[in-house]
Amino acid sequence: MACISSNAAITTGMGLIATNTYDVIVAGGVEFMSDVPIRHSRKMRGLMLKANKAKTLGQRLALLSTFRPGFLAPELPAVAEFSSGETMGHSADRLASAFNVSRAEQDEYALRSHTLAKQAQEKGYFTDLVPFKVQGIDQVVDKDNGIRVSTPESLAKLKPAFVKPYGTVTAANASFLTDGASACLIMTEEKAKQLGLKPKAFLRDFLYVSQDPVDQLLLGPAYGIPKLLKKAGVTLKDIDSWEIHEAFAGQIVANLKALDSDWFCKTYLGLSEKVGSPDLTKWNNWGGSLSIGHPFAATGVRLCMHTANRLVREDGKLGVVAACAAGGQGVAMLIERYPGATAD
């Protein structure tokens, strides 16, 4: 499920525990964006499939005669929506335009993400990171290396990355792709006590949503958060920590504007009034995917662990995790701090 794969791993694990299939489960995800599969062209794939079915030499020679050198051109990797074929950067540009999110707003949010991530890193808040040794490289990877605090002036100089020349999404206000892995240990409170383990948090509730994968591909949080709050019987003011996947700065700002829009909430969510704007002093306080990076399958657990650790350090009780994903999908999760939990 692309960006919410490890969220799905966690909730699938919960289901297996709830049905007494398993007692203890490790859930997570891994992504190698530095070594993505590169496919043959569609014409070459078609030719190869036909060749596999050819039974005689004559049939094979006939197929060979249709081959053209252009068939060998590979399909270059791109973060594209599989249902529409559109690059997600184009979707982000269109969404930002629809919600009147300016380039300045996007750059300002991106700068916020990098600044907060750097502060959290320097304060030693990323206690759940595991150092990794890459074969053949002397240096050990012991911290996220994509955090770069720039200036508004420097960000403003960057050219549009997708919709040229008038787009507003740039390399700086879009999440960058990186290698990464995440894992978490899930079980019932009773089982944790039996094993002598100290839990960090409860996963109290969750749900998945889906909407139009073209015009509303990146609006998963705006759809999921109100439904989750209603299902759990809590309000915006009850939430002490927000951890929302930052696919693009424009996507984040658009989701915030959607939640604070009477028209959007009435038209698309069927509500009587707008949900309102979450308290931004509690929003992605340790940075997010824009600054830390976005290894697709690993991000979901990272969001959950940031929430669990932030609730401890910020003395909160309830946290919300939300993310958009391929296919117009989205997730929203309610996490509760475990009494006596520590961030280490």
Side-chain angles (χ1 to χ4, degrees):
M1 294 175 73
C3 311
I4 58 174
S5 293
S6 51
N7 302 90
I10 293 172
T11 56
T12 299
M14 285 184 65
L16 292 169
I17 291 172
T19 55
N20 296 317
T21 306
Y22 298 111
D23 294 326
V24 180
I25 290 177
V26 175
V30 61
E31 207 72 66
F32 292 101
M33 303 308 293
S34 63
D35 187 21
V36 296
I38 298 178
R39 302 191 303 180
H40 284 289
S41 67
R42 181 176 294 275
K43 290 181 178 180
M44 189 64 190
R45 296 199 305 269
L47 183 63
M48 293 167 73
L49 288 171
K50 291 176 181 177
N52 193 47
K53 296 178 182 179
K55 300 185 182 301
T56 68
L57 178 60
Q59 290 174 332
R60 293 190 182 98
L61 290 174
L63 283 173
L64 185 61
S65 69
T66 66
F67 171 78
R68 298 292 181 270
F71 289 10
L72 295 176
E75 287 187 0
L76 297 178
V79 181
E81 165 54 31
F82 56 81
S83 62
S84 67
E86 182 179 57
T87 302
M88 289 187 181
H90 283 81
S91 301
D93 251 319
R94 190 167 60 253
L95 183 67
S97 177
F99 281 88
N100 294 317
V101 182
S102 69
R103 166 73 181 270
E105 285 179 291
Q106 295 175 60
D107 287 350
E108 180 183 1
Y109 185 89
L111 181 57
R112 174 190 189 271
S113 181
H114 281 270
T115 302
L116 292 177
K118 184 175 178 60
Q119 292 174 357
Q121 190 177 67
E122 291 176 343
K123 291 177 181 177
Y125 287 171
F126 298 151
T127 55
D128 51 4
L129 286 180
V130 179
F132 186 81
K133 178 70 169 62
V134 180
Q135 187 175 1
I137 304 295
D138 292 333
Q139 186 177 358
V140 175
V141 181
D142 59 1
K143 63 181 179 181
D144 291 306
N145 55 15
I147 301 172
R148 296 181 179 88
V149 179
S150 185
T151 64
E153 292 76 21
S154 296
L155 297 183
K157 293 178 182 178
L158 295 177
K159 295 181 179 180
F162 300 100
V163 179
K164 303 174 182 180
Y166 303 112
T168 55
V169 176
T170 70
N173 60 40
S175 61
F176 60 95
L177 306 179
T178 178
D179 293 347
S182 65
C184 63
L185 193 62
I186 57 176
M187 64 193 76
T188 63
E189 180 184 17
E190 180 183 7
K191 186 65 179 179
K193 290 180 177 179
Q194 289 176 5
L195 296 175
L197 299 174
K198 189 175 183 180
K200 278 184 176 286
F202 294 108
L203 178 51
R204 282 301 186 194
D205 216 331
F206 68 89
L207 52 79
Y208 293 90
V209 294
S210 62
Q211 54 279 342
D212 179 357
V214 178
D215 291 330
Q216 299 187 341
L217 174 67
L218 304 171
L219 283 178
Y223 276 88
I225 289 171
K227 292 183 178 181
L228 177 72
L229 297 180
K230 181 179 180 180
K231 183 183 177 188
V234 295
T235 68
L236 287 179
K237 294 181 180 180
D238 295 320
I239 306 305
D240 303 302
S241 170
W242 297 90
E243 279 293 333
I244 313 301
H245 166 47
E246 299 172 346
F248 302 89
Q251 160 256 336
I252 286 287
V253 178
N255 274 271
L256 286 169
K257 289 189 175 186
L259 289 171
D260 202 33
S261 164
D262 274 320
W263 177 83
F264 180 86
C265 290
K266 290 178 181 179
T267 304
Y268 290 103
L269 303 182
L271 301 177
S272 58
E273 59 182 357
K274 65 183 182 182
V275 175
S277 180
D279 184 348
L280 293 187
T281 65
K282 302 176 180 179
W283 181 279
N284 289 14
N285 284 359
W286 293 358
S289 302
L290 285 169
S291 49
I292 297 170
H294 179 36
F296 281 20
T299 293
V301 167
R302 197 270 300 165
L303 291 167
C304 292
M305 295 314 300
H306 270 199
T307 301
N309 290 332
R310 278 186 55 202
L311 288 173
V312 173
R313 293 191 183 275
E314 298 168 7
D315 194 25
K317 180 182 179 182
L318 294 177
V320 165
V321 166
C324 53
Q329 301 176 97
V331 66
M333 308 169 83
L334 183 66
I335 294 177
E336 180 181 338
R337 174 183 175 184
Y338 188 82
T342 61
D344 299 324

